[in-house]
Amino acid sequence: MNVIPIRRTVTVATTLVITAAATLGAQEATRPVTRLVAEPASVSVEAGQVAPIKVTAYDAEGLVVTEPRMRVSGTRGGVQITKDGVKGLRAGKYTVVVSTLPVDTAVKTVAITIPVTVNWPPVTQVGLTADPGRLYVGVTLAHQAQALHADGSVRPSSDVAWRWSSSNEAVASVDRFGNVTGNAKGTAIISATADGVSASRTYTVVANPVAHLTIELAETSVRTGDVLHLAARATRANGSVVPDVPVTWSYLYTPDDTVAAPGATGVIDRGLFAAEVPGRYTLLASAGSVSARQVVEVLPRQARRKISVMGHGSINHVHTSDFWPWTGADGRDYALVGTWGGDGWAYVIDITDVAKPVRTDSIQVDARVINDVTVSPDGRYGVLSREGASNRINGVVLLDLATPAHPKVAATFSEQLTGGVHNTFATNDYLFAISGGDKYVIVDVRDIYHPKFVSEYDHPDSRVHDVWVRNGIAYSSEWGTGVVAVDVGNGKYGGTIETPVLIGTFKTTSGATHEIYPYVQASTGKTYLFLGDEIMSRQGRVWEGTNYLQDINAKGGPPQTSAGYTHIVDFTDPANPKNIAKYHQEEFGAHDIIVEDDVMYQAYYDGGLRVVDVSGELVGNLAEQRREIAVYKPYDPNGYTANASFVMNAMPWKGYILFTDFNSGLWAAQLEPRPATP
């Protein structure tokens, strides 16, 4: 392994903004702030509404400090910080924290906490739907209810005290989850009530005509994680099919290992079944009093492969951020690597021999953080994002890669890019750049020496973190809004690069949608969106970990911790997206994601590098299905924080896996061949 030589060591104070943030003021305060006062001192607001908050900064003499640099953050999922104040998202008690951002490390950070109470608005309408099928005697039909507010927003069902009732229990009864069972022939009205507002459905229950039930499966021997489509054929005594009878599914499990097997072993969801551990599963189907069973053998997935480190380019004087590999015009392979809190330095590393990475050049720009770097698919130009520039303009720096070992600055671009650029996405002709977490700007870079503003997309009341473009569709990850899909040249939805058009949105359950990767799976033709949460805290979890943010600039400080996981959404039909699966390791948090050839390369922060099999249809938690191929946690005793894994980015590269670690630089690993089956 080869250590990358670094000519200069720099240590710069900076602040990592990890939540939705608003900068109050556009100029540096000339006097240190010693006290913050909030008006009002506490806030009560309805979900969906915005309450203004005024924060005044004072110096040691009690004088008002005009336009100080401050960060404003709120409890993610509960409140959202907007330019007008704090917006309530979900009922509960939360906090908004306002803290100063002193440039001088000798100046103490001052913070104030503002309690926020969010209340639900009144329920004005209840929506009631039922699963497909007819209600026969002995059959159970599931129902779903929604409580809606006057503005059309839906109150989470877990926050609703539902009351279900039947007008005639002898004919049809209903449990507290909305499952309706036909008991006898006749008529009954089923009602769902929330906050005094009701919706109802009338059922005429008839005799169950089903005499026989047969389970029909494509396969009866599968691997853990493989998806089976559940299908049953219901017939009358004369052999004719009953097409509208609801079928209830369940299973019994016989483990291969009766000692080590976990209790929860399989998932039934949307008519699909996936087993998490090997063994024999008896699938049970019932249509009233008629039932059927089918035994399925589940074999080990055997996805595991050994992973070996091939090379390490140590960067330990500052934190390492993003990287991007490319093949240069000279035929050699390179990686562009950014730094976080590194005084605006980026490095060019020759990785032609991944076992011996060599730094060929360095570039310094006006920034405290280069969070993101990228290279166009044709290797013509590179991009450095800028945050914390001395002139507050930030923007991006375009690099001419004609001489890849020694790039030169072609241009800087900052039009409409205010508040810092955290992420970018490059095509050969256009660059997409995030502007201050508020919108993304599209730049014409066909002439990298004269880039031009083309257009922008700013989703209403939303904060954006990342954007990826596939087939003329821009998929952006926008925290509480979730996924935002925009036609930027696909044309099917009426959009062009000059006039982006919204296709649709999909909200995740976490409200922390931070990273996104769109993937079209060849075997199924499905479009899967892999969405990574970012939750830089384990507050309220069994293992809360360390509060490293207070010491993030201190070399040798406490190890970083994180939470959150990767959601997998079927976005094949943008009008009907489905949250189908996840990859979740409880003790760690997700970051950047790349998927190639049905393998997910996941930077999982303190969980290290995770390589996961995502082949076939997906359902349930992939981590529980033995789909993990390999895990590697980089430990470097000489790291910025010693022996502390915090993997930022990972991607496959010419048979290797490259990844950067926040504390220790650029790494290269390789999966060893799968052992031959005897």
Side-chain angles (χ1 to χ4, degrees):
M1 293 186 295
N2 190 48
V3 176
I4 301 170
I6 302 296
R7 302 193 193 99
R8 181 179 174 218
T9 300
V10 291
T11 303
V12 180
T14 188
T15 301
L16 177 65
V17 179
I18 59 165
T19 60
T23 300
L24 307 182
Q27 299 177 5
E28 291 284 354
T30 57
R31 304 186 306 277
V33 175
T34 60
R35 182 168 61 98
L36 298 175
V37 176
E39 300 177 65
S42 62
V43 173
S44 181
V45 63
E46 269 192 0
Q49 301 300 309
V50 176
I53 299 177
K54 177 184 177 183
V55 177
T56 306
Y58 296 92
D59 65 9
E61 298 178 2
L63 300 176
V64 173
V65 178
T66 59
E67 301 190 15
R69 293 185 66 247
M70 292 193 286
R71 180 180 66 193
V72 186
S73 62
T75 306
R76 190 173 291 158
V79 297
Q80 177 185 358
I81 306 303
T82 74
K83 62 182 179 180
D84 298 316
V86 56
K87 181 178 181 179
L89 300 179
R90 184 166 185 163
K93 294 185 180 298
Y94 308 103
T95 57
V96 168
V97 178
V98 183
S99 56
T100 58
L101 299 176
V103 176
D104 189 346
T105 55
V107 177
K108 183 179 179 181
T109 297
V110 179
I112 187 173
T113 299
I114 306 166
V116 178
T117 300
V118 181
N119 301 300
W120 287 119
V123 174
T124 59
Q125 183 182 354
V126 169
L128 183 60
T129 58
D131 282 357
R134 187 172 182 181
L135 191 61
Y136 293 106
V137 172
V139 166
T140 297
L141 194 61
H143 290 64
Q144 300 80 38
Q146 284 188 323
L148 292 89
H149 307 129
D151 63 357
S153 61
V154 178
R155 185 181 301 186
S157 188
S158 58
D159 288 7
V160 181
W162 287 109
R163 182 171 63 84
W164 293 86
S165 62
S166 170
S167 66
N168 192 338
E169 291 277 345
V171 172
S173 55
V174 59
D175 65 17
R176 65 190 182 95
F177 303 107
N179 297 306
V180 178
T181 302
N183 299 321
K185 292 189 292 183
T187 300
I189 301 172
I190 303 300
S191 300
T193 303
D195 289 2
V197 181
S198 300
S200 61
R201 292 174 68 98
T202 300
Y203 285 101
T204 298
V205 183
V206 298
N208 188 352
V210 177
H212 303 286
L213 193 65
T214 305
I215 294 177
E216 299 177 335
L217 299 177
E219 297 178 86
T220 58
S221 182
V222 295
R223 303 169 301 167
T224 56
D226 285 347
V227 172
L228 285 175
H229 288 247
L230 301 177
R233 189 171 186 265
T235 56
R236 298 177 176 86
N238 64 7
S240 62
V241 174
V242 182
D244 57 358
V245 64
V247 175
T248 301
W249 291 91
S250 61
Y251 69 88
L252 301 173
Y253 169 62
T254 303
D256 286 343
D257 185 337
T258 58
V259 175
T265 57
V267 177
I268 293 178
D269 180 30
R270 296 170 285 111
L272 306 174
F273 171 77
E276 296 180 347
V277 296
R280 294 183 304 281
Y281 292 77
T282 302
L283 294 173
L284 305 173
S286 63
S289 60
V290 182
S291 63
R293 60 175 57 204
Q294 174 74 58
V295 177
V296 175
E297 178 187 35
V298 177
L299 304 172
R301 193 168 191 88
Q302 296 182 334
R304 181 180 178 183
R305 294 169 63 182
K306 186 175 181 180
I307 188 169
S308 300
V309 170
M310 306 301 294
H312 175 207
S314 176
I315 300 174
N316 58 18
H317 65 294
V318 290
H319 290 301
T320 307
S321 57
D322 191 23
F323 80 101
W324 198 272
W326 85 100
T327 298
D330 59 2
R332 298 185 67 81
D333 294 337
Y334 298 90
L336 187 62
V337 181
T339 61
W340 190 94
D343 201 19
W345 285 96
Y347 303 111
V348 182
I349 301 171
D350 188 321
I351 55 170
T352 307
D353 181 353
V354 297
K356 298 177 181 178
V358 176
R359 181 167 68 94
T360 62
D361 209 341
S362 58
I363 305 141
Q364 188 180 31
V365 298
D366 182 7
R368 283 198 295 270
V369 173
I370 301 176
N371 181 74
D372 194 29
V373 301
T374 192
V375 174
S376 61
D378 59 10
R380 184 172 58 91
Y381 71 93
V383 182
L384 306 178
S385 70
R386 295 199 298 160
E387 294 177 273
S390 62
N391 61 4
R392 301 288 189 104
I393 294 177
N394 295 301
V396 296
V397 175
L398 301 178
L399 303 177
D400 186 339
L401 301 181
T403 305
H406 303 285
K408 63 178 180 178
V409 173
T412 60
F413 185 86
S414 59
E415 184 177 349
Q416 296 297 320
L417 293 178
T418 57
V421 176
H422 198 64
N423 275 311
T424 62
F425 182 87
T427 71
N428 287 336
D429 295 335
Y430 298 99
L431 174 69
F432 294 71
I434 304 295
S435 177
D438 184 53
K439 62 185 178 181
Y440 55 82
V441 171
I442 304 174
V443 185
D444 184 337
V445 289
R446 285 174 288 188
D447 180 353
I448 59 173
Y449 285 86
H450 301 92
K452 300 175 182 178
F453 174 87
V454 176
S455 61
E456 63 180 41
Y457 183 80
D458 184 356
H459 197 72
D461 298 321
S462 187
R463 301 285 299 173
V464 58
H465 177 268
D466 192 25
V467 61
W468 278 78
V469 182
R470 288 287 185 272
N471 300 321
I473 297 176
Y475 300 92
S476 56
S477 52
E478 306 213 6
W479 300 113
T481 305
V483 175
V484 176
V486 175
D487 187 339
V488 292
N490 178 276
K492 181 179 179 181
Y493 307 93
T496 65
I497 199 73
E498 294 84 10
T499 57
V501 172
L502 175 67
I503 299 172
T505 64
F506 182 80
K507 187 174 183 177
T508 66
T509 55
S510 67
T513 308
H514 170 269
E515 192 66 27
I516 188 165
Y517 189 85
Y519 176 66
V520 178
Q521 190 178 64
S523 62
T524 63
K526 294 180 179 294
T527 297
Y528 288 142
L529 301 184
F530 291 78
L531 312 172
D533 293 336
E534 184 182 64
I535 303 173
M536 305 301 290
S537 166
R538 294 205 189 105
Q539 185 176 1
R541 291 168 170 79
V542 175
W543 180 32
E544 292 197 355
T546 57
N547 181 18
Y548 78 94
L549 288 175
Q550 62 187 1
D551 298 311
I552 195 168
N553 293 311
K555 186 175 176 64
Q560 298 88 350
T561 56
S562 62
Y565 59 87
T566 299
H567 307 251
I568 304 172
V569 175
D570 184 342
F571 211 78
T572 308
D573 178 5
N576 188 31
K578 300 181 182 70
N579 196 1
I580 57 168
K582 66 179 180 178
Y583 174 74
H584 188 188
Q585 292 288 355
E586 180 67 28
E587 292 185 352
F588 313 110
H591 199 229
D592 286 1
I593 306 158
I594 296 288
V595 183
E596 184 176 287
D597 296 331
D598 285 352
V599 176
M600 178 175 72
Y601 301 87
Q602 169 82 73
Y604 216 66
Y605 273 152
D606 41 331
L609 164 70
R610 325 291 290 208
V611 186
V612 183
D613 174 3
V614 294
S615 60
E617 291 188 81
L618 305 174
V619 66
N621 184 3
L622 309 189
E624 300 294 339
Q625 298 170 5
R626 281 52 176 175
R627 282 178 173 266
E628 286 185 323
I629 297 170
V631 175
Y632 185 80
K633 296 184 180 182
Y635 292 110
D636 184 356
N638 299 313
Y640 194 88
T641 298
N643 295 321
S645 298
F646 209 65
V647 176
M648 300 288 287
N649 304 84
M651 66 177 71
W653 178 255
K654 297 187 176 182
Y656 300 97
I657 304 170
L658 304 177
F659 59 99
T660 49
D661 181 82
F662 195 53
N663 294 309
S664 56
L666 179 68
W667 297 73
Q670 187 175 41
L671 292 174
E672 296 188 6
R674 196 184 308 278
T677 303

